[in-house]
Amino acid sequence: MNTPNQDRRSQRARQAILDAALEICREKGLGKASMEEIARRAGVGKQTIYRWWPSKAAVVQEAINEAAGDVTDFPDTGDVRADLRTQMTAVVTLLANPRFTPFTSLIGVAQDDPEAARAFLEGIVEPRVQACRERLRRAQEQGQLRTDADLDDVVELLYAPLYYRALLRNRPVAPEQVDEVLKLAFAGLAPVASQ
Amino acid sequence: MNTPNQDRRSQRARQAILDAALEICREKGLGKASMEEIARRAGVGKQTIYRWWPSKAAVVQEAINEAAGDVTDFPDTGDVRADLRTQMTAVVTLLANPRFTPFTSLIGVAQDDPEAARAFLEGIVEPRVQACRERLRRAQEQGQLRTDADLDDVVELLYAPLYYRALLRNRPVAPEQVDEVLKLAFAGLAPVASQ
Amino acid sequence: MNTPNQDRRSQRARQAILDAALEICREKGLGKASMEEIARRAGVGKQTIYRWWPSKAAVVQEAINEAAGDVTDFPDTGDVRADLRTQMTAVVTLLANPRFTPFTSLIGVAQDDPEAARAFLEGIVEPRVQACRERLRRAQEQGQLRTDADLDDVVELLYAPLYYRALLRNRPVAPEQVDEVLKLAFAGLAPVASQ
Amino acid sequence: MNTPNQDRRSQRARQAILDAALEICREKGLGKASMEEIARRAGVGKQTIYRWWPSKAAVVQEAINEAAGDVTDFPDTGDVRADLRTQMTAVVTLLANPRFTPFTSLIGVAQDDPEAARAFLEGIVEPRVQACRERLRRAQEQGQLRTDADLDDVVELLYAPLYYRALLRNRPVAPEQVDEVLKLAFAGLAPVASQ
DNA sequence: AAGTAACCGAGACGGTACGTCGTGTCTTCAC
DNA sequence: GTGAAGACACGACGTACCGTCTCGGTTACTT
């Protein structure tokens, strides 16, 4: 991620660090994880972590990103609402997966660490938003979405409720939410004429 | 907040602690604040903090809550959309206020600290959601809102985008967002017939 | 030794630290001792050491000084040569005692650490030299020592050879050396007339 | 100093290492010097140092020895006291020379490192003591020195005070000391008859 | 002239210790 | 018994070096 000679980097150490980081996060959460323990558990010198990552948040973000896979491609079956359902369900599934609790923790540390915020935004959020926005644009062209809607606003309207539950913990994160959100968002809150 | 004899409690100390906590959060963020420094700056023994609060998050939440004022009452002019606009604008204004950055930080620590999460939910979120839900119920009765919409889902749909921006920092938190959200949410994303 | 409130100081911790320090020095030498291990072995936080001593050398010097007892008083039987023999033998015995190996180690670190050098000189050497010089002065008055000899030079002439062996390790430190030194130093190296 | 093929050894690297070692010692003392920095400053890989020397003390001893020149020959003008004066003054001059501060540092590390002690004794001390002893033997034959004096004891009596001052730092190392020591040592401490 | 074996520079690696900061508990003294 | 003060055991921080270990690259000997 940073400066030294990438060629000589030990892949063994890198993988052990990412694995240890995720494991510890799963056990006690990112907040109570420590560089010290990651190093200990990975059988690695602390310096080896600091050489390649600036903070534990950066380590965990890389680990999470790797674990999540390269899912930046957005489905396109021709039916935007179905595609959104697919993709949003994937997001909910991830947010609900205990293996991915560090995901929301990363958003947590970002609140007090601008660098972590930037990294999360650039590394995680923006690529996915970009893909979604692109899909929505095509939907507009195909007459499946209002054309007077700002696409960034649409993305926020659809995805924010999913994150909201994960972050605020007001209600459990569950796939049913996707249908609720899509129903409300597409139909609108205004009362129906016949009502 | 806890057990010892409330009557003999020093109001001077309590206020100094809350003030110091907010001040430090403003300077360096909740993450880098420490009990040590709060005590030092408040001119108070550490024990005095630990006696009355379980963690720095609890201190800060109390401070924030006090600073926010008891605004749990929701406006009701008869026009729900206007009332939502008023209330949501107030939320955005608070989220954008540098004095209230610890607000999102509290959501941050909640990701790794179930007790903080519970306290935030009970102490901050739920009373306000409750008031909003009540207002929306009246709107349904008055035919200003679809009756087939779950009110909790509606609250999430409207407010989540505001929190989303504050927490993800993808775009600046600004009052214009309120109008965008209301427009989209009430009209719905589906293309208009004439389009 | 330094600044914080001496009254509240834990005597338990102080003694445990001094004991642990000496024990470790005996096992592996001052050079390979570490603050970390002293703390660990004393069952004490590192901070507690750093609060009261500036370096491991300072800890060990205090421990050594305490172990050596307050032997700053010089014997005075009326026979200066006998008194020197007594006192110098005590020095040799100490230098030869495995319990006191840190003593020469302290002189060792002083070579690279002016503060340690100053502390050793003031805390250990000077009080003893002072006592010796005083005894020699009385000897001069009683006609047992040349009056044209600078007393500091005399002290050095007598004691330096003892330290020399301990520090250079050229020959084992042994009490016989005392008699050799006294014989040579008092009689002088010049050939005897009758020779 | 050790095993690999001496023929293929890079003289450039060797000299750069010795130079860098002395330079760093002069700047911050042997204690705060590090292999890391010697290598860096010499423009040399760490391995290249470890290949030829077992420790930084060994490097510095070799550097010092080289800088001191091969002065193992003892002057012999026929007047032993004059010759001692010459030689001892040379020692004092060296001890007082800032370029040679690592000299006493080497004695310092020897206190905790038997291997360094052995190397220093064999490589530095013994050859010089041997030369001195030889000169003293001739002096005895010529009736310039008591014949009942053990020569090793004599060497120690004369030279120890010089080292004493350098190591204990009680008084500044200065050439005048040589005359004081010779005067006292040759004349003896016993009071003169006429006094 | 090609092959090969060594030393060389560089620097990543698993470690240990550094000296500092913050934690939450504790004890002491003043009010 | 509350409150200011702060010492305490503990654990983590991020950095500096340790000594070992590959990596090319460059000689300088072999064949």
Side-chain angles (χ1 to χ4, degrees):
Chain A
M1 218 158 209
N2 288 29
T3 21
N5 189 336
Q6 287 281 1
D7 297 347
R8 298 188 179 272
R9 184 167 186 184
S10 159
Q11 287 309 312
R12 206 206 96 266
R14 177 175 178 278
Q15 201 54 54
I17 290 164
L18 296 179
D19 290 350
L22 273 196
E23 187 180 305
I24 295 167
C25 282
R26 226 169 305 134
E27 285 174 25
K28 41 167 78 161
L30 174 54
K32 278 154 198 154
S34 72
M35 288 298 223
E36 204 101 357
E37 190 174 1
I38 296 174
R40 206 181 309 132
R41 203 148 341 163
V44 137
K46 278 199 285 178
Q47 196 64 257
T48 301
I49 309 187
Y50 284 109
R51 199 171 358 245
W52 304 106
W53 293 278
S55 67
K56 69 179 175 185
V59 176
V60 170
Q61 176 168 330
E62 187 167 331
I64 281 285
N65 215 1
E66 201 136 301
D70 291 330
V71 278
T72 39
D73 45 341
F74 209 95
D76 188 348
T77 64
D79 176 354
V80 73
R81 208 163 140 173
D83 291 347
L84 281 167
R85 187 171 189 277
T86 303
Q87 168 67 12
M88 287 165 72
T89 301
V91 168
V92 166
T93 304
L94 185 142
L95 289 174
N97 184 342
R99 242 171 81 66
F100 285 95
T101 48
F103 190 85
T104 54
S105 296
L106 284 173
I107 302 177
V109 310
Q111 303 314 308
D112 280 312
D113 178 346
E115 179 49 35
R118 196 199 50 72
F120 188 80
L121 200 58
E122 285 185 13
I124 307 274
V125 178
E126 277 176 359
R128 289 163 173 82
V129 166
Q130 167 67 28
C132 182
R133 211 190 301 108
E134 188 56 31
R135 179 66 189 83
L136 292 175
R137 200 187 47 70
R138 284 198 298 276
Q140 282 183 323
E141 291 168 5
Q142 295 160 1
Q144 299 185 354
L145 188 67
R146 317 176 56 105
T147 51
D148 62 345
D150 179 83
L151 293 182
D152 282 315
D153 288 332
V154 174
V155 172
E156 282 172 30
L157 190 73
L158 294 170
Y159 285 86
L162 312 183
Y163 284 90
Y164 183 90
R165 281 206 203 164
L167 290 161
L168 272 293
R169 289 155 160 59
N170 56 329
R171 290 196 279 170
V173 176
E176 297 77 37
Q177 191 189 6
V178 172
D179 288 320
E180 301 291 339
V181 168
L182 284 173
K183 190 191 79 182
L184 278 183
F186 270 82
L189 301 175
V192 199
S194 64
Q195 284 190 318
Chain B
M1 221 160 203
N2 289 27
T3 22
N5 189 338
Q6 287 281 0
D7 299 346
R8 311 194 55 170
R9 182 168 187 185
S10 157
Q11 287 309 309
R12 205 205 97 267
R14 175 175 178 280
Q15 202 53 54
I17 289 164
L18 296 179
D19 290 351
L22 273 196
E23 188 179 304
I24 293 167
C25 283
R26 225 170 306 132
E27 286 173 24
K28 40 170 74 162
L30 173 54
K32 280 154 197 157
S34 70
M35 289 299 225
E36 204 101 357
E37 189 173 4
I38 296 174
R40 204 182 311 131
R41 195 135 5 152
V44 137
K46 282 199 290 177
Q47 196 63 267
T48 303
I49 308 186
Y50 283 110
R51 196 163 8 238
W52 303 103
W53 292 276
S55 67
K56 69 180 175 184
V59 176
V60 171
Q61 177 168 329
E62 186 168 333
I64 280 285
N65 215 0
E66 202 138 300
D70 291 330
V71 276
T72 38
D73 45 341
F74 209 95
D76 188 348
T77 65
D79 176 353
V80 73
R81 212 166 137 170
D83 292 346
L84 282 168
R85 188 173 189 276
T86 304
Q87 169 64 13
M88 287 166 72
T89 302
V91 168
V92 166
T93 305
L94 183 141
L95 289 174
N97 185 342
R99 243 172 78 66
F100 286 95
T101 49
F103 191 84
T104 53
S105 296
L106 283 173
I107 302 177
V109 308
Q111 302 313 309
D112 280 311
D113 178 345
E115 179 48 35
R118 197 199 50 73
F120 188 79
L121 200 58
E122 287 184 11
I124 307 271
V125 179
E126 277 176 357
R128 288 164 175 81
V129 166
Q130 169 66 28
C132 181
R133 212 190 301 108
E134 189 56 31
R135 179 66 187 83
L136 291 175
R137 202 187 46 71
R138 285 197 297 278
Q140 281 183 324
E141 292 168 1
Q142 295 158 5
Q144 298 184 354
L145 187 68
R146 319 174 56 105
T147 51
D148 62 345
D150 179 83
L151 294 182
D152 282 315
D153 288 332
V154 174
V155 172
E156 281 173 29
L157 190 73
L158 295 170
Y159 284 85
L162 312 183
Y163 283 90
Y164 183 90
R165 281 206 202 165
L167 290 161
L168 272 293
R169 290 156 159 60
N170 57 327
R171 291 195 279 170
V173 176
E176 297 77 35
Q177 191 189 7
V178 172
D179 288 321
E180 301 290 339
V181 168
L182 284 172
K183 189 191 81 181
L184 278 183
F186 270 82
L189 301 177
V192 199
S194 63
Q195 282 189 316
Chain C
M1 218 160 207
N2 288 28
T3 21
N5 190 337
Q6 286 281 1
D7 298 346
R8 296 188 179 273
R9 182 167 189 184
S10 158
Q11 288 308 311
R12 202 206 99 266
R14 177 176 178 277
Q15 202 53 53
I17 290 164
L18 296 179
D19 291 349
L22 273 195
E23 187 180 303
I24 293 167
C25 283
R26 225 169 305 134
E27 286 174 23
K28 39 168 78 163
L30 174 54
K32 279 155 198 153
S34 72
M35 289 297 224
E36 203 101 356
E37 190 174 2
I38 296 174
R40 205 180 309 133
R41 192 121 29 136
V44 137
K46 280 198 285 179
Q47 196 67 259
T48 301
I49 309 185
Y50 285 109
R51 202 175 350 251
W52 304 106
W53 292 277
S55 66
K56 70 180 176 184
V59 176
V60 170
Q61 177 170 328
E62 188 167 330
I64 280 285
N65 214 2
E66 202 137 300
D70 291 330
V71 277
T72 38
D73 45 341
F74 210 95
D76 188 348
T77 64
D79 177 353
V80 73
R81 211 167 136 169
D83 291 346
L84 281 168
R85 188 174 188 276
T86 302
Q87 169 66 13
M88 288 165 72
T89 301
V91 168
V92 166
T93 304
L94 184 141
L95 289 174
N97 184 342
R99 243 171 79 66
F100 286 95
T101 47
F103 190 85
T104 53
S105 296
L106 283 173
I107 303 177
V109 310
Q111 302 314 308
D112 279 313
D113 178 346
E115 180 48 36
R118 195 200 52 71
F120 188 79
L121 200 58
E122 286 184 12
I124 308 271
V125 178
E126 277 176 359
R128 289 162 174 81
V129 167
Q130 168 66 29
C132 181
R133 210 192 299 110
E134 188 55 32
R135 179 64 188 86
L136 292 175
R137 200 188 47 71
R138 286 199 297 277
Q140 281 182 325
E141 291 169 4
Q142 294 159 7
Q144 298 184 355
L145 188 67
R146 316 175 60 104
T147 52
D148 63 345
D150 178 84
L151 293 183
D152 282 315
D153 288 333
V154 174
V155 172
E156 282 173 30
L157 191 73
L158 294 169
Y159 284 86
L162 312 183
Y163 284 90
Y164 184 89
R165 281 206 202 165
L167 290 161
L168 273 291
R169 289 156 161 55
N170 56 329
R171 290 196 279 171
V173 176
E176 297 77 36
Q177 191 190 5
V178 171
D179 288 319
E180 300 291 338
V181 167
L182 283 173
K183 190 190 78 180
L184 277 183
F186 270 82
L189 300 176
V192 201
S194 65
Q195 282 189 314
Chain D
M1 220 160 208
N2 288 27
T3 22
N5 189 337
Q6 287 281 0
D7 299 345
R8 312 194 55 167
R9 182 170 187 183
S10 158
Q11 288 308 310
R12 206 206 96 267
R14 177 176 178 277
Q15 201 54 54
I17 290 164
L18 296 178
D19 291 350
L22 272 195
E23 187 179 305
I24 294 167
C25 283
R26 225 170 305 132
E27 285 174 24
K28 40 169 75 161
L30 174 55
K32 279 155 198 156
S34 71
M35 289 297 225
E36 205 101 359
E37 189 174 4
I38 295 174
R40 205 181 311 131
R41 195 130 14 145
V44 136
K46 282 199 287 177
Q47 195 64 267
T48 303
I49 309 186
Y50 285 109
R51 204 178 345 252
W52 303 105
W53 291 276
S55 68
K56 70 180 175 186
V59 176
V60 170
Q61 177 169 327
E62 186 167 332
I64 279 286
N65 215 2
E66 201 137 301
D70 291 331
V71 278
T72 38
D73 45 341
F74 209 95
D76 188 347
T77 63
D79 177 351
V80 73
R81 209 165 139 172
D83 291 347
L84 281 168
R85 187 173 190 278
T86 303
Q87 169 65 12
M88 288 166 72
T89 302
V91 167
V92 165
T93 305
L94 184 140
L95 289 174
N97 184 343
R99 245 171 77 67
F100 286 94
T101 48
F103 191 85
T104 54
S105 296
L106 284 173
I107 303 177
V109 307
Q111 303 313 308
D112 279 312
D113 178 347
E115 179 49 34
R118 196 199 50 73
F120 188 78
L121 200 58
E122 286 183 12
I124 307 271
V125 178
E126 278 177 358
R128 289 163 174 80
V129 167
Q130 169 64 29
C132 182
R133 211 188 302 109
E134 188 56 31
R135 179 65 189 85
L136 292 175
R137 201 187 46 70
R138 285 198 298 276
Q140 281 183 325
E141 290 169 5
Q142 294 159 6
Q144 298 185 357
L145 189 66
R146 319 174 57 104
T147 51
D148 62 346
D150 178 82
L151 293 183
D152 282 316
D153 288 332
V154 175
V155 172
E156 282 174 28
L157 190 72
L158 293 170
Y159 284 87
L162 312 183
Y163 283 90
Y164 183 91
R165 281 208 202 166
L167 290 161
L168 272 293
R169 290 155 158 56
N170 59 327
R171 291 196 278 172
V173 176
E176 297 78 36
Q177 191 188 5
V178 172
D179 288 318
E180 300 290 340
V181 167
L182 284 173
K183 191 189 79 180
L184 278 182
F186 270 83
L189 302 175
V192 200
S194 64
Q195 282 190 317

